[in-house]
Amino acid sequence: MMNNSARQASGAPPKRAAVIAQALTTTRADRQVLRGIDFTIPTARITGLLGPSGCGKTTLMRAIVGTQAKVGGTLQVLGRPAGDPALRSRIGYVTQAPSVYDDLTVRQNLDYFAAVLLPGRAHRHDRRNAVDRAVEDVDLTDHADTLAGRLSGGQRSRVSLAVALLGTPELLVLDEPTVGLDPVLRRDLWDLFHRLAAERGTTLLVSSHVMDEAERCHRLLLMREGEILAEDTPEALRRRNDTATVEEAFLHLVDAANTRAAQAAATTQEEHRP
């Protein structure tokens, strides 16, 4: 496990980091959701944000894209403070719920959002090219003229991803994009993620609670109860914890964290004993 102090002792963050967080906190209804966490996300790589439901993954992602209230600490995104208006066109964000209009076709949905990103007659050709590329990226060419309301759940999710890809974002933030997809669609989406990183230099942050997806990422952030348990490559996590899978490494880290918490609680009780 690499805790905050261990990361600080290992040296400065990577020179090419898309996101740098230091002592990041968020509070909701007087409850601290993120508990002073540090992490970095390298450019042109897929970083997996893994952990059980309710551990703070969505809150962390919302902080990065600038839509989360009550954020403390330091959070730099693409060289600017998170939420800076200049970042809006540089970040693509796909939420868990598909953001499409059911009464429009796939292409009409993309035409609408492309017009928001690239308004005016002068950008008409660019909009058309962006829409064609996005439809092809998510493999919906055969469904381009189908109403979104008639698509399957997985297809609707791919339309949302296509919307996020319209502006060729430098940072793509995906909140559990493969939930509910069959194995073939999951494989195809991960192939697309790797192409985006390798061919376009896109930085991807992909959240999931499915541990087998960890092996598909270049780096991992393992979360539990608002804290980062570990930050490293899948191979390094397996090796450091002497496990065969990332899931086993995660469980080992959870057990170690529980042990430390129990020891700290016992020490506190002993100190306050009369």
Side-chain angles (χ1 to χ4, degrees):
M1 171 179 167
M2 182 177 286
N3 56 26
N4 291 350
S5 59
R7 273 194 298 273
Q8 291 168 356
S10 66
K15 290 183 179 179
R16 300 194 66 219
V19 180
I20 302 174
Q22 295 177 322
L24 183 66
T25 63
T26 63
T27 303
R28 186 187 306 124
D30 298 325
R31 182 177 70 90
Q32 195 171 47
V33 181
L34 301 181
R35 304 178 180 181
I37 58 177
D38 303 342
F39 63 88
T40 60
I41 297 175
T43 59
R45 290 291 185 271
I46 301 172
T47 296
L49 178 60
L50 285 96
S53 297
C55 71
K57 298 189 301 294
T58 296
T59 300
L60 188 152
M61 298 181 118
R62 286 173 53 85
I64 289 173
V65 300
T67 60
Q68 179 64 46
K70 298 184 179 179
V71 177
T74 302
L75 184 57
Q76 290 284 318
V77 180
L78 302 176
R80 292 180 175 271
D84 190 307
L87 293 172
R88 290 173 186 167
S89 62
R90 302 173 65 191
I91 300 175
Y93 180 37
V94 180
T95 61
Q96 293 182 29
S99 303
V100 296
Y101 294 102
D102 288 346
D103 56 345
L104 298 179
T105 67
V106 171
R107 185 174 296 279
Q108 287 170 340
N109 266 284
L110 295 175
D111 284 339
Y112 170 77
F113 288 106
V116 174
L117 287 171
L118 296 167
R121 294 177 60 87
H123 294 292
R124 183 169 50 188
H125 182 70
D126 293 335
R127 288 198 298 271
R128 186 183 307 116
N129 287 341
V131 169
D132 289 342
R133 184 192 64 244
V135 169
E136 184 176 353
D137 280 343
V138 300
D139 195 24
L140 284 177
T141 302
D142 292 341
H143 299 280
D145 297 318
T146 302
L147 289 174
R150 296 181 179 175
L151 298 174
S152 68
Q155 290 169 334
R156 286 164 55 82
S157 295
R158 282 189 281 162
V159 178
S160 291
L161 177 57
V163 171
L165 292 172
L166 282 172
T168 58
E170 298 170 53
L171 172 62
L172 188 57
V173 179
L174 306 171
D175 195 353
E176 300 199 352
T178 62
V179 169
L181 300 187
D182 64 56
V184 174
L185 286 177
R186 286 177 60 197
R187 179 202 63 193
D188 291 346
L189 268 188
W190 278 101
D191 287 346
L192 171 60
F193 299 160
H194 278 273
R195 288 200 307 273
L196 291 171
E199 298 173 9
R200 300 183 191 172
T202 306
T203 300
L204 294 96
L205 177 63
V206 183
S207 75
S208 178
H209 62 271
V210 182
M211 285 294 168
D212 66 0
E213 295 196 331
E215 307 293 344
R216 303 174 185 264
C217 302
H218 298 117
R219 289 185 65 82
L220 296 172
L221 299 174
L222 300 186
M223 284 194 73
R224 179 178 178 271
E225 296 182 357
E227 297 181 344
I228 301 293
L229 289 183
E231 174 185 353
D232 217 326
T233 66
E235 180 183 2
L237 286 169
R238 293 193 304 269
R239 184 174 61 250
R240 184 183 308 122
N241 294 280
D242 193 24
T243 60
T245 67
V246 170
E247 181 173 5
E248 290 173 342
F250 178 77
L251 293 174
H252 176 79
L253 292 166
V254 168
D255 290 342
N258 288 340
T259 298
R260 286 193 302 274
Q263 290 173 343
T267 298
T268 300
Q269 288 180 349
E270 185 66 28
E271 290 174 347
H272 288 83
R273 200 174 280 174

Short mmCIF file of all heavy atoms in Angstrom, two decimals, residues 47-88:
data_model
loop_
_atom_site.label_atom_id
_atom_site.label_comp_id
_atom_site.label_asym_id
_atom_site.label_seq_id
_atom_site.Cartn_x
_atom_site.Cartn_y
_atom_site.Cartn_z
N THR A 47 -6.53 5.37 -16.42
CA THR A 47 -6.47 5.18 -14.98
C THR A 47 -7.80 4.65 -14.50
O THR A 47 -8.85 5.25 -14.74
CB THR A 47 -6.14 6.50 -14.25
OG1 THR A 47 -4.83 6.95 -14.64
CG2 THR A 47 -6.16 6.30 -12.74
N GLY A 48 -7.77 3.51 -13.85
CA GLY A 48 -8.98 2.91 -13.32
C GLY A 48 -9.23 3.37 -11.89
O GLY A 48 -8.31 3.34 -11.07
N LEU A 49 -10.43 3.82 -11.63
CA LEU A 49 -10.83 4.22 -10.28
C LEU A 49 -11.76 3.14 -9.77
O LEU A 49 -12.92 3.05 -10.17
CB LEU A 49 -11.53 5.57 -10.33
CG LEU A 49 -12.07 6.14 -9.01
CD1 LEU A 49 -10.94 6.33 -8.01
CD2 LEU A 49 -12.81 7.44 -9.25
N LEU A 50 -11.23 2.28 -8.90
CA LEU A 50 -11.97 1.10 -8.49
C LEU A 50 -12.26 1.10 -7.00
O LEU A 50 -11.45 1.56 -6.19
CB LEU A 50 -11.19 -0.18 -8.85
CG LEU A 50 -11.24 -0.52 -10.34
CD1 LEU A 50 -10.01 0.03 -11.04
CD2 LEU A 50 -11.34 -2.02 -10.54
N GLY A 51 -13.43 0.57 -6.68
CA GLY A 51 -13.85 0.47 -5.28
C GLY A 51 -15.32 0.15 -5.21
O GLY A 51 -16.04 0.26 -6.20
N PRO A 52 -15.80 -0.27 -4.04
CA PRO A 52 -17.21 -0.63 -3.90
C PRO A 52 -18.13 0.57 -4.07
O PRO A 52 -17.71 1.72 -3.92
CB PRO A 52 -17.28 -1.19 -2.47
CG PRO A 52 -16.13 -0.55 -1.76
CD PRO A 52 -15.04 -0.40 -2.78
N SER A 53 -19.38 0.30 -4.36
CA SER A 53 -20.37 1.37 -4.47
C SER A 53 -20.45 2.15 -3.16
O SER A 53 -20.43 1.56 -2.08
CB SER A 53 -21.75 0.79 -4.80
OG SER A 53 -21.73 0.14 -6.05
N GLY A 54 -20.51 3.49 -3.28
CA GLY A 54 -20.61 4.33 -2.10
C GLY A 54 -19.28 4.74 -1.50
O GLY A 54 -19.26 5.42 -0.47
N CYS A 55 -18.16 4.38 -2.15
CA CYS A 55 -16.86 4.71 -1.56
C CYS A 55 -16.39 6.11 -1.91
O CYS A 55 -15.38 6.58 -1.38
CB CYS A 55 -15.81 3.68 -1.98
SG CYS A 55 -15.30 3.79 -3.73
N GLY A 56 -17.09 6.80 -2.84
CA GLY A 56 -16.71 8.16 -3.19
C GLY A 56 -16.22 8.34 -4.60
O GLY A 56 -15.75 9.43 -4.97
N LYS A 57 -16.34 7.32 -5.44
CA LYS A 57 -15.82 7.41 -6.81
C LYS A 57 -16.50 8.53 -7.61
O LYS A 57 -15.83 9.34 -8.25
CB LYS A 57 -15.99 6.07 -7.55
CG LYS A 57 -15.25 4.90 -6.94
CD LYS A 57 -15.29 3.68 -7.83
CE LYS A 57 -16.67 3.19 -8.16
NZ LYS A 57 -17.39 2.66 -6.97
N THR A 58 -17.83 8.55 -7.59
CA THR A 58 -18.56 9.57 -8.37
C THR A 58 -18.26 10.96 -7.84
O THR A 58 -18.09 11.91 -8.62
CB THR A 58 -20.07 9.29 -8.32
OG1 THR A 58 -20.34 8.04 -8.97
CG2 THR A 58 -20.84 10.39 -9.04
N THR A 59 -18.17 11.12 -6.53
CA THR A 59 -17.85 12.42 -5.95
C THR A 59 -16.48 12.89 -6.41
O THR A 59 -16.30 14.06 -6.76
CB THR A 59 -17.88 12.33 -4.41
OG1 THR A 59 -19.19 11.95 -3.99
CG2 THR A 59 -17.52 13.66 -3.78
N LEU A 60 -15.51 11.99 -6.43
CA LEU A 60 -14.17 12.34 -6.89
C LEU A 60 -14.20 12.79 -8.36
O LEU A 60 -13.58 13.79 -8.73
CB LEU A 60 -13.23 11.16 -6.71
CG LEU A 60 -11.73 11.40 -6.96
CD1 LEU A 60 -10.90 10.44 -6.12
CD2 LEU A 60 -11.38 11.22 -8.43
N MET A 61 -14.94 12.06 -9.19
CA MET A 61 -15.02 12.41 -10.60
C MET A 61 -15.70 13.77 -10.80
O MET A 61 -15.27 14.57 -11.64
CB MET A 61 -15.74 11.31 -11.38
CG MET A 61 -15.04 9.97 -11.33
SD MET A 61 -15.89 8.70 -12.27
CE MET A 61 -14.64 8.32 -13.48
N ARG A 62 -16.75 14.02 -10.04
CA ARG A 62 -17.44 15.31 -10.14
C ARG A 62 -16.52 16.45 -9.71
O ARG A 62 -16.58 17.54 -10.27
CB ARG A 62 -18.71 15.30 -9.27
CG ARG A 62 -19.85 14.48 -9.86
CD ARG A 62 -21.02 14.36 -8.88
NE ARG A 62 -21.45 15.65 -8.40
CZ ARG A 62 -22.32 16.43 -9.03
NH1 ARG A 62 -22.85 16.04 -10.18
NH2 ARG A 62 -22.68 17.60 -8.53
N ALA A 63 -15.66 16.19 -8.72
CA ALA A 63 -14.69 17.21 -8.32
C ALA A 63 -13.73 17.52 -9.45
O ALA A 63 -13.40 18.68 -9.72
CB ALA A 63 -13.93 16.74 -7.08
N ILE A 64 -13.29 16.48 -10.16
CA ILE A 64 -12.34 16.67 -11.25
C ILE A 64 -12.95 17.47 -12.39
O ILE A 64 -12.31 18.37 -12.96
CB ILE A 64 -11.82 15.31 -11.75
CG1 ILE A 64 -10.88 14.69 -10.69
CG2 ILE A 64 -11.09 15.44 -13.09
CD1 ILE A 64 -10.45 13.28 -11.01
N VAL A 65 -14.20 17.18 -12.74
CA VAL A 65 -14.83 17.89 -13.86
C VAL A 65 -15.40 19.24 -13.44
O VAL A 65 -15.87 20.01 -14.28
CB VAL A 65 -15.93 17.04 -14.54
CG1 VAL A 65 -15.34 15.75 -15.07
CG2 VAL A 65 -17.08 16.75 -13.59
N GLY A 66 -15.37 19.54 -12.13
CA GLY A 66 -15.76 20.87 -11.67
C GLY A 66 -17.22 21.05 -11.34
O GLY A 66 -17.71 22.18 -11.28
N THR A 67 -17.94 19.95 -11.08
CA THR A 67 -19.37 20.06 -10.78
C THR A 67 -19.69 19.71 -9.33
O THR A 67 -20.86 19.69 -8.96
CB THR A 67 -20.19 19.14 -11.70
OG1 THR A 67 -19.79 17.78 -11.50
CG2 THR A 67 -19.99 19.51 -13.17
N GLN A 68 -18.66 19.47 -8.51
CA GLN A 68 -18.88 19.08 -7.13
C GLN A 68 -18.73 20.29 -6.21
O GLN A 68 -17.74 21.02 -6.29
CB GLN A 68 -17.89 17.98 -6.72
CG GLN A 68 -18.03 17.52 -5.28
CD GLN A 68 -19.37 16.87 -5.02
OE1 GLN A 68 -19.84 16.04 -5.80
NE2 GLN A 68 -19.99 17.25 -3.93
N ALA A 69 -19.70 20.49 -5.33
CA ALA A 69 -19.63 21.60 -4.38
C ALA A 69 -18.80 21.19 -3.15
O ALA A 69 -18.57 20.01 -2.90
CB ALA A 69 -21.03 22.00 -3.94
N LYS A 70 -18.37 22.20 -2.39
CA LYS A 70 -17.67 22.00 -1.12
C LYS A 70 -16.44 21.12 -1.28
O LYS A 70 -16.29 20.09 -0.61
CB LYS A 70 -18.61 21.41 -0.08
CG LYS A 70 -19.80 22.32 0.26
CD LYS A 70 -20.65 21.72 1.36
CE LYS A 70 -21.82 22.65 1.70
NZ LYS A 70 -22.68 22.09 2.76
N VAL A 71 -15.56 21.54 -2.17
CA VAL A 71 -14.30 20.83 -2.40
C VAL A 71 -13.17 21.60 -1.73
O VAL A 71 -13.02 22.81 -1.93
CB VAL A 71 -14.01 20.68 -3.90
CG1 VAL A 71 -12.66 20.01 -4.14
CG2 VAL A 71 -15.12 19.89 -4.58
N GLY A 72 -12.39 20.91 -0.92
CA GLY A 72 -11.24 21.52 -0.27
C GLY A 72 -9.95 20.90 -0.75
O GLY A 72 -9.93 19.89 -1.46
N GLY A 73 -8.82 21.50 -0.37
CA GLY A 73 -7.52 21.02 -0.82
C GLY A 73 -7.16 21.63 -2.17
O GLY A 73 -7.74 22.64 -2.59
N THR A 74 -6.24 20.99 -2.87
CA THR A 74 -5.77 21.47 -4.17
C THR A 74 -6.07 20.43 -5.24
O THR A 74 -5.79 19.24 -5.06
CB THR A 74 -4.25 21.72 -4.14
OG1 THR A 74 -3.96 22.68 -3.13
CG2 THR A 74 -3.76 22.25 -5.48
N LEU A 75 -6.65 20.89 -6.35
CA LEU A 75 -6.98 19.99 -7.45
C LEU A 75 -6.68 20.70 -8.77
O LEU A 75 -7.40 21.62 -9.17
CB LEU A 75 -8.45 19.56 -7.38
CG LEU A 75 -8.92 18.54 -8.42
CD1 LEU A 75 -8.09 17.26 -8.35
CD2 LEU A 75 -10.40 18.22 -8.23
N GLN A 76 -5.61 20.28 -9.42
CA GLN A 76 -5.21 20.83 -10.71
C GLN A 76 -5.59 19.86 -11.83
O GLN A 76 -5.27 18.67 -11.76
CB GLN A 76 -3.69 21.07 -10.74
CG GLN A 76 -3.22 22.21 -9.85
CD GLN A 76 -3.54 23.57 -10.46
OE1 GLN A 76 -3.37 23.78 -11.65
NE2 GLN A 76 -3.99 24.49 -9.61
N VAL A 77 -6.26 20.38 -12.85
CA VAL A 77 -6.72 19.56 -13.97
C VAL A 77 -6.21 20.19 -15.27
O VAL A 77 -6.54 21.35 -15.56
CB VAL A 77 -8.25 19.45 -14.00
CG1 VAL A 77 -8.71 18.59 -15.18
CG2 VAL A 77 -8.77 18.87 -12.69
N LEU A 78 -5.40 19.45 -16.00
CA LEU A 78 -4.82 19.96 -17.25
C LEU A 78 -4.16 21.32 -17.04
O LEU A 78 -4.26 22.22 -17.87
CB LEU A 78 -5.89 20.04 -18.35
CG LEU A 78 -6.61 18.72 -18.68
CD1 LEU A 78 -7.70 18.95 -19.71
CD2 LEU A 78 -5.63 17.68 -19.18
N GLY A 79 -3.49 21.45 -15.91
CA GLY A 79 -2.72 22.66 -15.63
C GLY A 79 -3.52 23.82 -15.07
O GLY A 79 -2.96 24.90 -14.86
N ARG A 80 -4.81 23.62 -14.81
CA ARG A 80 -5.65 24.69 -14.28
C ARG A 80 -6.44 24.19 -13.07
O ARG A 80 -6.64 22.99 -12.91
CB ARG A 80 -6.63 25.20 -15.35
CG ARG A 80 -5.96 25.93 -16.51
CD ARG A 80 -6.99 26.40 -17.52
NE ARG A 80 -6.38 27.20 -18.57
CZ ARG A 80 -6.23 28.51 -18.51
NH1 ARG A 80 -6.65 29.18 -17.45
NH2 ARG A 80 -5.67 29.17 -19.51
N PRO A 81 -6.94 25.10 -12.24
CA PRO A 81 -7.76 24.66 -11.11
C PRO A 81 -9.04 23.99 -11.62
O PRO A 81 -9.64 24.43 -12.60
CB PRO A 81 -8.09 25.98 -10.39
CG PRO A 81 -7.04 26.94 -10.83
CD PRO A 81 -6.69 26.56 -12.23
N ALA A 82 -9.43 22.91 -10.96
CA ALA A 82 -10.66 22.22 -11.35
C ALA A 82 -11.83 23.20 -11.36
O ALA A 82 -11.97 24.03 -10.47
CB ALA A 82 -10.95 21.07 -10.39
N GLY A 83 -12.67 23.10 -12.40
CA GLY A 83 -13.82 23.98 -12.52
C GLY A 83 -13.55 25.25 -13.29
O GLY A 83 -14.47 26.03 -13.56
N ASP A 84 -12.28 25.48 -13.68
CA ASP A 84 -11.95 26.66 -14.48
C ASP A 84 -12.75 26.63 -15.78
O ASP A 84 -12.80 25.60 -16.46
CB ASP A 84 -10.45 26.67 -14.78
CG ASP A 84 -9.98 27.97 -15.39
OD1 ASP A 84 -10.57 28.41 -16.41
OD2 ASP A 84 -9.01 28.55 -14.88
N PRO A 85 -13.42 27.73 -16.16
CA PRO A 85 -14.22 27.74 -17.40
C PRO A 85 -13.43 27.33 -18.64
O PRO A 85 -14.01 26.77 -19.58
CB PRO A 85 -14.68 29.20 -17.50
CG PRO A 85 -14.69 29.69 -16.09
CD PRO A 85 -13.54 29.01 -15.42
N ALA A 86 -12.11 27.58 -18.64
CA ALA A 86 -11.30 27.22 -19.81
C ALA A 86 -11.21 25.71 -20.01
O ALA A 86 -10.80 25.25 -21.08
CB ALA A 86 -9.91 27.81 -19.66
N LEU A 87 -11.59 24.92 -19.00
CA LEU A 87 -11.50 23.46 -19.09
C LEU A 87 -12.72 22.82 -19.73
O LEU A 87 -12.69 21.64 -20.09
CB LEU A 87 -11.30 22.87 -17.70
CG LEU A 87 -9.99 23.17 -16.99
CD1 LEU A 87 -10.04 22.67 -15.55
CD2 LEU A 87 -8.81 22.54 -17.72
N ARG A 88 -13.79 23.58 -19.90
CA ARG A 88 -15.05 22.98 -20.33
C ARG A 88 -14.94 22.26 -21.67
O ARG A 88 -15.50 21.18 -21.85
CB ARG A 88 -16.14 24.06 -20.41
CG ARG A 88 -16.56 24.57 -19.03
CD ARG A 88 -17.50 25.75 -19.14
NE ARG A 88 -17.80 26.33 -17.82
CZ ARG A 88 -18.37 27.49 -17.64
NH1 ARG A 88 -18.73 28.23 -18.70
NH2 ARG A 88 -18.60 27.94 -16.41
#
